[in-house]
Amino acid sequence: LYTAPDSCEGRCEEPFSEEDECHCHPECERHHNCCEDYERHCGADGFSSSRDSITDQELLELSEQLYGVDHNKARPSDIVLNPQHRAGPDETGDKQDRSPQPLYKYVNEELFSKPTYASFIKLLDNYQRATGKEEEVTAEELREQDHFLEEVMKTELMKKLFAFLQGKNRYGSEQEFVQDLKEMWFGLYSRGDGERDSSGFEHVFSGTALPGAGPPAALGLGLIPESRLCLGEVKKGKVSGFHNWIRFYLLEKQGVVNYFSHNFNGPWDMYPDVLGLQFSWDGFYKEVGSAFIGCSPEFEFGLYSLCFLARPGRA
């Protein structure tokens, strides 16, 4: 399911686009510009034939359904935000802290005792922050990965996602789906120098640091352990990635993250909400970071998995 832009997997009958390296619409055969695997995927019995492809409308509808069955999301009384300054377009990049108070005024930490939250939080300290260093995955960490997957698969949200993908002939069994989720999110790959030093989960939910502008003094002197600071990635002195509200809250509570301002606040009056924010993480700056606020771990995990499976390598 991990396809390059030169594949027709999941793309059958899509409209012509000049940006595509090769094409998968019915006319491509006449124009001799089909992808090499067009027949295998888009032929009468192809894996991604029209009846099994995932349309934009289906993505929209299923995403709303997953939102509706996020039973573990925060209630309005569970989180009190203090957004303070709203930054204009000319302010997001100037690294000025215009909000003297933390973003989170209150979080009901009883949320974190729910099985999917508790197993998710266990995973957050399993990664080295610096890239270029091979990750050493212990037996305990593997058990924590399996436990998290077990807990999310018990939820109605993930069962609904699996049923949809099974109906699209993407998976024959739940076991196959879980195995693919494990590889998709926890499989290691290299961000440079050939070392297997990163994973999808680490980038999105936990974090690493790439060589660039150099670490802040406290980190460079060893005063702050790298493993304790996992959050987003750092590239050339700027934070990249990081989209999880739970991680932000926990590190803000520790004093590691400093909230500066926000440039977008979603119109919703219940959770999950969406916030675009500026902050520093141990001296590294994030110019615009967007995050769902108040959703369960399984909502983000399921939604991002759906998008990755439906549009691999594509917007």
Side-chain angles (χ1 to χ4, degrees):
L1 291 176
Y2 312 102
T3 59
D6 58 356
S7 170
C8 277
E9 186 170 337
R11 296 176 52 199
C12 299
E13 299 193 20
E14 70 175 10
F16 173 82
S17 171
E18 291 183 354
E19 296 178 358
D20 292 333
E21 294 182 18
C22 57
H23 305 281
C24 307
H25 56 86
E27 296 295 307
C28 72
E29 290 185 294
R30 186 160 61 87
H31 294 290
H32 306 293
N33 57 9
C34 297
C35 298
E36 288 186 6
D37 59 3
Y38 172 81
E39 189 60 35
R40 180 160 65 91
H41 287 293
C42 305
D45 299 315
F47 175 79
S48 299
S49 60
S50 58
R51 67 180 181 275
D52 293 333
S53 61
I54 300 174
T55 67
D56 287 348
Q57 184 62 29
E58 286 174 318
L59 276 179
L60 179 64
E61 291 173 357
L62 182 58
S63 297
E64 291 289 351
Q65 290 171 16
L66 298 181
Y67 181 95
V69 297
D70 186 11
H71 303 310
N72 285 328
K73 66 186 177 185
R75 298 165 300 181
S77 61
D78 285 332
I79 300 174
V80 180
L81 294 178
N82 185 16
Q84 302 165 82
H85 183 76
R86 181 159 188 164
D90 58 339
E91 293 178 326
T92 59
D94 63 10
K95 304 182 182 180
Q96 296 297 310
D97 184 357
R98 295 181 169 87
S99 301
Q101 302 300 318
L103 172 62
Y104 287 93
K105 186 178 288 187
Y106 168 76
V107 171
N108 178 8
E109 294 193 5
E110 288 184 8
L111 281 171
F112 301 158
S113 65
K114 294 185 175 186
T116 57
Y117 284 80
S119 57
F120 172 80
I121 290 170
K122 281 271 192 183
L123 293 169
L124 293 175
D125 63 356
N126 285 355
Y127 300 97
Q128 297 188 63
R129 194 177 81 156
T131 58
K133 297 181 180 179
E134 183 105 8
E135 289 286 353
E136 295 181 8
V137 183
T138 67
E140 181 182 4
E141 289 170 355
L142 289 173
R143 286 193 296 270
E144 289 175 352
Q145 293 173 9
D146 290 337
H147 182 56
F148 173 70
L149 291 170
E150 288 171 12
E151 292 299 339
V152 297
M153 287 307 301
K154 293 176 184 177
T155 65
E156 182 182 354
L157 189 154
M158 290 298 289
K159 289 185 182 299
K160 182 177 283 289
L161 174 59
F162 168 66
F164 173 82
L165 293 169
Q166 188 179 41
K168 290 290 185 179
N169 292 318
R170 299 302 173 101
Y171 298 103
S173 67
E174 186 173 305
Q175 181 181 7
E176 185 185 354
F177 178 46
V178 171
Q179 188 58 42
D180 202 37
L181 287 173
K182 187 171 184 178
E183 178 64 26
M184 184 192 314
W185 283 100
F186 299 108
L188 296 174
Y189 62 90
S190 174
R191 295 196 69 84
D193 300 325
E195 299 288 350
R196 287 155 49 86
D197 56 4
S198 192
S199 69
F201 185 93
E202 180 178 12
H203 173 80
V204 174
F205 295 115
S206 185
T208 59
L210 295 180
L219 181 60
L221 293 172
L223 302 179
I224 302 175
E226 290 184 348
S227 61
R228 190 169 66 81
L229 296 177
C230 295
L231 172 62
E233 293 188 312
V234 172
K235 297 180 181 179
K236 299 181 179 178
K238 292 185 178 181
V239 177
S240 172
F242 168 53
H243 303 283
N244 183 252
W245 75 271
I246 300 168
R247 193 59 170 152
F248 189 101
Y249 165 73
L250 293 173
L251 289 186
E252 186 178 59
K253 186 179 176 182
Q254 293 177 19
V256 177
V257 164
N258 179 20
Y259 171 71
F260 281 21
S261 57
H262 70 285
N263 65 307
F264 175 81
N265 193 345
W268 300 277
D269 56 4
M270 57 187 293
Y271 297 114
D273 201 347
V274 176
L275 199 66
L277 60 162
Q278 293 72 50
F279 61 90
S280 73
W281 160 38
D282 190 46
F284 296 110
Y285 186 64
K286 178 73 171 181
E287 185 170 335
V288 178
S290 59
F292 283 107
I293 308 293
C295 65
S296 70
E298 61 264 30
F299 176 74
E300 286 195 277
F301 192 74
L303 185 65
Y304 303 157
S305 297
L306 168 65
C307 292
F308 180 72
L309 293 168
R311 302 287 184 267
R314 299 167 63 78

